[in-house]
Short mmCIF file of all heavy atoms in Angstrom, two decimals:
data_model
loop_
_atom_site.label_atom_id
_atom_site.label_comp_id
_atom_site.label_asym_id
_atom_site.label_seq_id
_atom_site.Cartn_x
_atom_site.Cartn_y
_atom_site.Cartn_z
N ALA A 79 127.59 102.25 142.71
CA ALA A 79 126.42 101.67 142.06
C ALA A 79 125.09 102.42 142.11
O ALA A 79 124.33 102.69 141.17
CB ALA A 79 126.20 100.19 142.58
N GLY A 135 131.24 126.72 143.61
CA GLY A 135 130.65 126.41 145.01
C GLY A 135 131.47 125.22 145.65
O GLY A 135 132.39 124.64 145.19
N ALA A 146 137.75 110.38 142.76
CA ALA A 146 136.80 110.22 141.70
C ALA A 146 137.39 110.73 140.44
O ALA A 146 138.08 111.75 140.31
CB ALA A 146 135.47 110.92 142.03
N PHE A 166 124.64 117.59 136.98
CA PHE A 166 125.68 117.60 135.96
C PHE A 166 126.72 116.41 136.20
O PHE A 166 127.00 116.15 137.23
CB PHE A 166 126.50 118.91 136.10
CG PHE A 166 125.89 120.09 135.71
CD1 PHE A 166 125.08 120.68 136.73
CD2 PHE A 166 125.81 120.70 134.47
CE1 PHE A 166 124.29 122.00 136.40
CE2 PHE A 166 124.95 121.72 134.18
CZ PHE A 166 124.30 122.44 135.17
N ARG A 177 139.75 118.30 149.44
CA ARG A 177 140.47 118.39 150.60
C ARG A 177 139.94 117.09 151.40
O ARG A 177 138.67 116.88 151.59
CB ARG A 177 140.10 119.55 151.41
CG ARG A 177 140.66 119.57 152.88
CD ARG A 177 140.29 120.99 153.52
NE ARG A 177 138.86 121.14 153.91
CZ ARG A 177 138.35 120.48 154.98
NH1 ARG A 177 139.10 119.95 155.97
NH2 ARG A 177 137.09 120.66 155.32
N GLY A 186 138.81 105.08 155.11
CA GLY A 186 139.39 104.54 153.73
C GLY A 186 138.32 104.83 152.59
O GLY A 186 138.67 104.25 151.49
N GLY A 206 119.92 116.44 133.58
CA GLY A 206 118.61 116.36 134.23
C GLY A 206 118.42 117.34 135.34
O GLY A 206 119.36 118.17 135.70
N LEU A 229 126.30 94.59 158.50
CA LEU A 229 127.24 94.94 159.70
C LEU A 229 126.65 94.21 160.96
O LEU A 229 127.49 93.71 161.73
CB LEU A 229 127.23 96.45 159.91
CG LEU A 229 128.05 97.26 159.00
CD1 LEU A 229 127.90 98.75 159.14
CD2 LEU A 229 129.57 96.92 159.20
N LYS A 242 130.55 81.15 172.93
CA LYS A 242 130.95 79.78 173.02
C LYS A 242 132.30 79.50 173.69
O LYS A 242 132.43 78.47 174.48
CB LYS A 242 130.92 79.14 171.53
CG LYS A 242 129.68 78.91 170.98
CD LYS A 242 129.78 78.29 169.58
CE LYS A 242 128.55 78.76 168.73
NZ LYS A 242 128.90 78.89 167.26
N ILE A 312 128.68 92.16 174.86
CA ILE A 312 128.94 90.73 175.06
C ILE A 312 130.43 90.36 174.90
O ILE A 312 131.00 89.63 175.66
CB ILE A 312 128.15 89.86 174.07
CG1 ILE A 312 126.73 89.88 174.26
CG2 ILE A 312 128.67 88.38 173.93
CD1 ILE A 312 125.76 89.30 173.21
#
Side-chain angles (χ1 to χ4, degrees):
F166 294 90
R177 181 180 70 84
L229 282 174
K242 284 180 207 149
I312 289 168

